Amino acid sequence: MLKIDARKKLAEFEWRGRLEIRPGLTALFGQSGAGKTSLVNMVAGLLTPDEGEIAIGGTCVFSSRKDVNLSPERRPVGVVFQDGRLFPHLSVGGNLRYGRPRGSRSAPTLEEVIELLELEALLGRRPMSLSGGEQQRVAIGRALLTAPDVLLLDEPLSGLDGERRGEVLGFLERLKRDSDRIIVYVTHRMEEVVRLADRLVLIDRGEVRSSGGLQDLLGRPELQAVIGQRTAGALLRCRIEQIDDGDGLSRLSCSGHTILLPRLDLKSGSEGVPPAPRAGRPRSQDADIVLQVRAGDVSLSLEPPRRSSVLNVMEGTVERVVQEDGALADVVVNVGQTLWARVTRRSVRELGLSPGVAVYATIKAASLYSAD
Amino acid sequence: MTPVWEIAALSLKVSLWAVACSLPVGIACAWVLARCRFPGKILLDGLVHLPLVTPPVVVGYLLLIVLGRNGWLGRLFHDWFGVTFTFTWKGAAVAAAVMAFPLMVRAIRLGIESVDRRLEEAARTLGATPARALFTVTLPLAAPGLLSGALLAFARCLGEFGATITFVSNVPGQTRTLPLAIYTLLQTPEGETAAAWLAGVSLALAIAALAASELAARAVRRRLN
């Protein structure tokens, strides 16, 4: 368990978050400038909090009360930075061998890490000659070889283009499946959260706004200010029924409803490619895939649409309506799972949407397959 | 008059020892100035730069007071280590080192400042102590600065005149380096031809040092990229 309860005056605001992070992959999500990197630096020992306490497992690494402040090299923490930070004067092999194991767990061997991240062919090369994706793989391997109890990944994919991102994502997925360590993954991209995270912590201006399971948090309209209007939306757990129905569509079932979307990419062995842009693999056995449905992509009607281009129609009941000051409102619909639609307040008024009303939620198949 | 090659050899010996002995101190000073923040830093900065703005004769005079036979530090060196600076080539090396020190520190400091501190942070998170991060990341990456600092200082040492003649006088075979020998020859009748020869040797040494520095810098850059 990683426990953080710290205050630190930063340039724009004061960090005063308090959180506990369990083993598994926890995504730290927030807009840029929310204080995510400051948190990473405080845990790693690169930034000293003004007061508070940080503990990893049973070890206190910082405490203003007990006057403890372990230096970075004495904390069981590994960091993968946004920009890789490989040493340019050392080869890939030299970079990998630089670290010193210091966590409580036994260190993986160099061979294991090379195999996990497929680094064999890169060993003799200089960091400058590597692609961004390769650099981040080396950076991940370098951190893993120090056998950290806590692995901090600070937006490791932000400098990469779509394809490279997919490549590294695949390795991260494999890494997290193979270990029970605490992994903190900082990001502001919802697709990475959906793909990787077991749990989610929402950070806003130095505060923890909410933390918990992914499906629970993503279904709550109140948190959309933190998540971002365009990316917010609920998570659906689905079974895969058919990969290709002949029209290039995959058919999923979700709490008794059928969902169609452009063909999932489930090529065997190519873990680097996500099945769909905002899809991930579920953490339990009761589903094959989790799919994020952005609230803005869902529309509501009182009757089933006829002769419409929309392929996905789900019948459900309105659970609650969250009105806002502006023109928009958020409607939480129970379709067996929680779905969340972002509609205008005029529609809420004209359709009489209120808790208990039966509605049809429609989602364009194409919208389920577009990236952030 | 001493043969030309002996004068050149003495100059090289004095300069090499001056650079070799002041380099560790120069690196330490440069690192402190580049990476540390403390009250009084400006004083250290000023002290390091003092020989650059002080008349060399004054520096030589101060050295005489401190390191001369009756100076407190000079006596200490004499009694404890049996080292005498007055009228010896060791004294000439000290004078050269002191005069070249600001140039050396400036170049090394620039080299260290050009190293991305975030790489040092990365080294720390990988388990490196500050000392290990310094020796395995900062200094190797600052190598071009170290190199140019050492060579600038070397060239400056070869040309040192004022502080040397004030501190350790003009003793043939001990402290009469190239510039002092040229000066002496110009004071003697019919010494001009020999002086021209020595001037040529000085020029050749300077050009050789420049070329060596360029070649070394290229090699280092190739290693870093």
Side-chain angles (χ1 to χ4, degrees), chain A residues 73 83 89 98 100 102, chain B residues 118 124-126 132 136:
Chain A
E73 68 269 20
D83 45 359
H89 59 302
Y98 188 89
R100 296 273 184 270
R102 63 196 187 289
Chain B
R118 295 173 311 163
R124 300 290 302 279
T125 69
L126 290 165
R132 182 164 176 248
T136 57

Side-chain angles (χ1 to χ4, degrees), chain B residues 9-221:
Chain B
L10 177 68
S11 263
L12 286 175
K13 178 167 98 173
V14 165
S15 304
L16 281 173
W17 274 97
V19 171
C21 295
S22 60
L23 194 57
V25 189
I27 292 174
C29 271
W31 180 79
V32 167
L33 288 174
R35 288 292 195 248
C36 302
R37 257 197 268 164
F38 55 93
K41 179 173 167 176
I42 194 157
L43 282 178
L44 177 69
D45 204 9
L47 191 69
V48 165
H49 280 97
L50 209 55
L52 202 62
V53 292
T54 315
V57 179
V58 174
V59 173
Y61 173 65
L62 290 174
L63 284 172
L64 199 59
I65 291 177
V66 177
L67 282 172
R69 194 153 281 164
N70 295 317
W72 63 275
L73 206 55
R75 198 173 299 157
L76 202 120
F77 266 96
H78 181 76
D79 295 348
W80 288 22
F81 309 110
V83 176
T84 313
F85 293 117
T86 348
F87 306 128
T88 67
W89 68 268
K90 289 169 193 148
V94 170
V98 168
M99 290 307 294
F101 199 66
L103 286 174
M104 176 189 269
V105 172
R106 275 176 91 90
I108 298 176
R109 180 181 177 173
L110 280 178
I112 291 176
E113 279 171 346
S114 73
V115 176
D116 193 344
R117 295 190 82 148
R118 295 173 311 163
L119 289 174
E120 295 164 15
E121 288 182 354
R124 300 290 302 279
T125 69
L126 290 165
T129 58
R132 182 164 176 248
L134 173 67
F135 284 107
T136 57
V137 176
T138 317
L139 291 185
L141 287 172
L146 262 63
L147 197 74
S148 73
L151 277 155
L152 263 176
F154 180 72
R156 178 68 185 80
C157 286
L158 279 178
E160 177 24 52
F161 180 81
T164 310
I165 203 165
T166 315
F167 177 35
V168 289
S169 183
N170 190 356
V171 185
Q174 279 293 334
T175 68
R176 186 174 290 173
T177 53
L178 281 167
L180 272 71
I182 294 172
Y183 168 77
T184 311
L185 283 169
L186 288 176
Q187 302 298 308
T188 27
E190 288 144 28
E192 240 169 90
T193 329
W197 272 106
L198 285 183
V201 171
S202 288
L203 210 59
L205 278 177
I207 291 171
L210 264 183
S213 112
E214 184 55 35
L215 286 176
R218 264 189 223 170
V220 167
R221 266 198 296 273

